[in-house]
Amino acid sequence: MASVQDPCSFASSSKCTTKHLNLSYHVDFERRVLKGKVALTMEVLEDRCSTVTLDTRDLTIFSATANGQSAKFNMGPEHSFLGTPLEITLPFELSRGQQVIVEVAYETAPKATALQWLTPDQTAGKKQPYLFSQCQAIHCRTMIPCQDTPSVKHSYYAQVSVPQELVAVMSAIRDGQAPDPEDSSRLIYRFRQPVPMPSYLIAIVVGALESREIGPRSLVWSEKEFVDKAAFEFSETENMLKTAESLVGPYVWGQYDILVLPPSFPYGGMENPCLTFATPTLLAGDRSLSNVIAHEISHSWTGNLVTNKTWEHFWLNEGHTVYLERMIGRSMESEQFRQFKAMGGWKELQESVKTFGADNPLTNLVPSLQDVNPDDAFSSVPYEKGFALLYHLEELLGGPVVFMGFVKSYIQMFAYGSATTEEWKAYLFTYFQDKVDVLNKVDWNAWMHTPGMPPVKPQYDTTMADSCIALCSKWTKAGEADLGVFTAADLTTLSSHQVIEFLSLLLQEEPLPLTHVKRMQEAYDFNSCINAEIRARWLRLCVKSRWEEAVPKAPADWPRSRARMKFTPSPLFSVP
């Protein structure tokens, strides 16, 4: 596969590539730093190689060696978000095909963007501190000097020293624990990850953790305050894994655990191998948000096993993952359910395009990230515009079963590696070589390199949406004298996904009169709902209708318990 320059990395990945990392960490909660060493086993890709360049950001480098010999190192100029290149001069020259072990001793900074240090008060238990990492997209360089690009994939081994009252877990297979020989008050946890993966999937969590078994290859981890609730919520995990395997082949990562983080975790989930991170906002009590776990499970193939070569091709990760997630939903629920979720995704895409602006190049499916922080480009575009393209191709090429055959073959073709959009497209044309005339009619430039909404709007089945639309219409057309017709029975035939859609539709309408919103609370009791997706929309509806008694509930009990970015947008706390 061709070498591609990553605009988001300084690393010399065309000269040499990391094959394995060996990490050793001492977790210091008092100073909020990780002190340790990393040994990178690197394979040389060109002759006369005498330097290695790694990505770093806000790291203190103490020393470097190459095959045990002292090596000179130099820190380059600092970039605002890419960090600082670390250039290591090898004490010898290497030829193509040779390997070298480069070891760096270093320490992270308290402000490392990959690391979130929580005080006991910020946890559910209120007694012990907590640490978690979030390396996607380019934050691993703040906790490890490495080739921080998804074009490089490697295995890793880690040893982590933590206070003995805490537990460490990582995005790897647990490999035992033992007392720290240098400090009797600490334990060393060991981890191994034999499957090659990009740096952004390295993850660590340290806290007062407990676990429960939820399947033959799955545990759920959390603070004890959440763990039993989480075990119930994620009890369908094994069924989802088996469904995914039936669609795209064997799960290669061994263990599939889920870790429910404290409320301050800012995302719905993160697909770290062997250890999916999940927000406690998923604990709805009705298993209704399991599609988030279906999404993270799907990443085990699309994203983790086959990875975008640079962040400009992020849609390869997310578009295929949304497609596979919805195919899991199709298998476990129905085709109508998949269509319903796709309709919701199209609305999310419309919102993102509206927010960025229809002419903004960051709404391209394949944007340029030259001098752009990939965090600033994050939106639903790679997810939903990517899905829309795949769904469009599915319709053109023979339906879901036929196109799923391509997705499975694409995964097998690029497994354990990384791909670009051009490589994906070339394989698409190869796989469907008997339908090249159909593929040639696709406006690829409009789909890939043109901002705004896609050139084709899919026609989705509206069966599940129709009842949501009807109930929304009933509320918007109701007069004061009609409010008595609304009862709790209105929602009994709706799934939680449909209730979310009903509220989303109301939010697109003019504000309801205050009397209507109060009657809705009497009939449906949304104030007691613990489903975060429903509650967020309900609170926004109350704000929009200027219900003064309801509005104070939002800032008082929402951000602390629902710190996920999705549920703390400014529209929730500003009255239009």
Side-chain angles (χ1 to χ4, degrees):
M1 298 178 197
S3 174
V4 173
Q5 182 60 41
D6 186 343
C8 301
S9 172
F10 293 120
S12 51
S13 54
S14 62
K15 294 170 59 176
C16 55
T17 185
T18 305
K19 292 296 184 182
H20 182 75
L21 288 184
N22 199 318
L23 277 168
S24 176
Y25 275 144
H26 179 98
V27 180
D28 188 336
F29 277 98
E30 188 173 331
R31 296 177 57 230
R32 296 193 164 198
V33 300
L34 301 178
K35 186 172 183 178
K37 292 181 179 179
V38 60
L40 305 95
T41 302
M42 310 188 80
E43 181 178 314
V44 176
L45 303 177
E46 63 181 30
D47 289 331
R48 304 192 67 180
C49 176
S50 59
T51 61
V52 170
T53 304
L54 303 176
D55 290 301
T56 77
R57 185 178 175 191
D58 299 325
L59 296 179
T60 300
I61 308 298
F62 299 121
S63 64
T65 64
N67 289 347
Q69 300 180 46
S70 180
K72 294 180 180 178
F73 64 90
N74 178 62
M75 304 297 287
E78 183 178 357
H79 185 278
S80 60
F81 58 84
L82 296 180
T84 307
L86 168 61
E87 185 171 284
I88 299 170
T89 303
L90 306 177
F92 41 72
E93 273 193 354
L94 293 171
S95 301
R96 180 175 178 172
Q98 289 186 295
Q99 289 196 342
V100 60
I101 297 178
V102 175
E103 185 174 283
V104 181
Y106 69 99
E107 186 174 88
T108 65
K111 65 178 181 179
T113 55
L115 301 173
Q116 182 79 45
W117 301 88
L118 305 182
T119 63
D121 188 54
Q122 292 173 297
T123 69
K126 309 297 183 187
K127 294 179 181 178
Q128 298 292 348
Y130 198 106
L131 165 67
F132 70 85
S133 65
Q134 174 63 28
C135 288
Q136 194 179 36
I138 57 170
H139 300 284
C140 190
R141 63 194 68 183
T142 71
M143 60 183 251
I144 306 170
C146 61
Q147 294 184 303
D148 197 10
T149 168
S151 65
V152 173
K153 302 179 85 168
H154 49 73
S155 53
Y156 80 88
Y157 192 85
Q159 300 181 82
V160 183
S161 173
V162 303
Q164 61 185 2
E165 62 271 18
L166 301 179
V167 174
V169 289
M170 292 190 74
S171 55
I173 303 294
R174 296 181 306 284
D175 198 36
Q177 65 194 65
D180 188 332
E182 297 181 5
D183 187 339
S184 60
S185 69
R186 300 176 71 88
L187 290 173
I188 291 179
Y189 287 85
R190 298 187 297 270
F191 305 92
R192 58 181 175 84
Q193 179 51 268
V195 182
M197 52 173 247
S199 56
Y200 76 86
L201 292 175
I202 296 175
I204 183 171
V205 175
V206 181
L209 301 174
E210 294 186 8
S211 66
R212 300 286 187 271
E213 186 175 298
I214 55 172
R217 47 186 160 175
S218 298
L219 300 174
V220 64
W221 295 84
S222 179
E223 295 178 83
K224 66 180 181 181
E225 289 78 10
F226 288 138
V227 71
D228 290 320
K229 197 173 183 181
F232 168 81
E233 192 68 42
F234 303 132
S235 60
E236 290 294 306
T237 297
E238 180 61 22
N239 286 341
M240 285 189 190
L241 280 167
K242 287 180 177 177
T243 302
E245 287 181 310
S246 72
L247 292 168
V248 284
Y251 177 79
V252 304
W253 304 90
Q255 192 77 6
Y256 183 84
D257 289 358
I258 299 171
L259 184 134
V260 179
L261 286 120
S264 55
F265 181 59
Y267 301 97
M270 180 62 204
E271 65 272 16
N272 302 307
C274 306
L275 189 71
T276 281
F277 283 9
T279 169
T281 63
L282 297 187
L283 305 182
D286 57 4
R287 298 192 182 96
S288 63
L289 297 178
S290 57
N291 60 293
V292 176
I293 298 303
H295 183 89
E296 306 310 333
I297 283 175
S298 298
H299 267 307
S300 304
W301 289 268
T302 49
N304 298 4
L305 190 58
V306 180
T307 308
N308 46 235
K309 194 163 281 187
T310 75
W311 295 110
E312 295 170 313
H313 305 281
F314 187 42
W315 84 272
L316 290 176
N317 277 20
E318 297 300 349
H320 286 84
T321 296
V322 172
Y323 185 85
L324 180 53
E325 165 207 331
R326 288 176 183 158
M327 287 298 288
I328 292 173
R330 179 179 188 263
S331 297
M332 297 184 72
E333 300 281 347
S334 67
E335 173 62 18
Q336 288 180 348
F337 178 76
R338 181 174 84 120
Q339 298 279 325
F340 178 73
K341 297 301 290 184
M343 286 181 65
W346 184 265
K347 288 179 185 175
E348 288 185 25
L349 178 58
Q350 288 176 314
E351 284 296 312
S352 285
V353 170
K354 182 180 178 182
T355 299
F356 275 87
D359 296 326
N360 191 319
L362 291 181
T363 64
N364 289 8
L365 192 57
V366 186
S368 169
L369 294 184
Q370 193 68 46
D371 302 318
V372 176
N373 186 333
D375 287 352
D376 294 339
F378 183 83
S379 74
S380 68
V381 169
Y383 297 75
E384 297 299 346
K385 200 171 188 177
F387 171 82
L389 170 60
L390 298 177
Y391 184 82
H392 178 57
L393 292 172
E394 172 197 298
E395 289 192 307
L396 292 177
L397 296 166
V401 175
V402 171
F403 196 73
M404 198 65 231
F406 162 73
V407 173
K408 182 176 181 179
S409 184
Y410 158 71
I411 291 168
Q412 291 171 337
M413 178 66 185
F414 292 94
Y416 307 102
S418 302
T420 64
T421 300
E422 292 73 25
E423 289 168 329
W424 169 85
K425 184 182 171 186
Y427 189 68
L428 177 75
F429 273 71
T430 299
Y431 184 88
F432 288 109
Q433 54 188 309
D434 59 333
K435 297 178 180 177
V436 168
D437 56 329
V438 175
L439 290 171
N440 280 332
K441 292 177 183 176
V442 174
D443 190 342
W444 294 104
N445 185 65
W447 276 102
M448 302 288 189
H449 306 294
T450 303
M453 294 299 290
V456 177
K457 181 179 180 180
Q459 297 302 309
Y460 296 121
D461 183 294
T462 64
T463 303
M464 285 186 67
D466 288 343
S467 53
C468 311
I469 295 168
L471 185 59
C472 173
S473 177
K474 192 175 176 182
W475 274 98
T476 55
K477 292 178 179 177
E480 298 285 333
D482 304 319
L483 295 181
V485 303
F486 296 105
T487 69
D490 299 342
L491 304 186
T492 54
T493 60
L494 300 185
S495 70
S496 53
H497 300 284
Q498 289 172 297
V499 174
I500 291 165
E501 176 64 9
F502 157 65
L503 290 170
S504 298
L505 290 168
L506 282 175
L507 284 167
Q508 294 174 2
E509 301 290 336
E510 290 298 310
L512 287 174
L514 182 57
T515 51
H516 286 50
V517 177
K518 288 184 174 182
R519 175 58 193 151
M520 191 177 294
Q521 167 56 25
E522 290 175 6
Y524 303 156
D525 194 20
F526 284 140
N527 282 342
S528 299
C529 182
I530 62 172
N531 183 311
E533 297 275 357
I534 292 174
R535 188 93 188 279
R537 287 162 178 80
W538 167 241
L539 283 173
R540 287 178 63 191
L541 201 67
C542 293
V543 169
K544 198 171 178 181
S545 296
R546 299 176 182 265
W547 187 6
E548 293 183 10
E549 291 86 352
V551 172
K553 293 177 182 290
D557 71 358
W558 192 257
R560 269 194 305 242
S561 64
R562 297 289 185 268
R564 177 178 166 194
M565 287 195 299
K566 183 174 185 178
F567 300 129
T568 52
S570 56
L572 184 59
F573 305 114
S574 59
V575 178

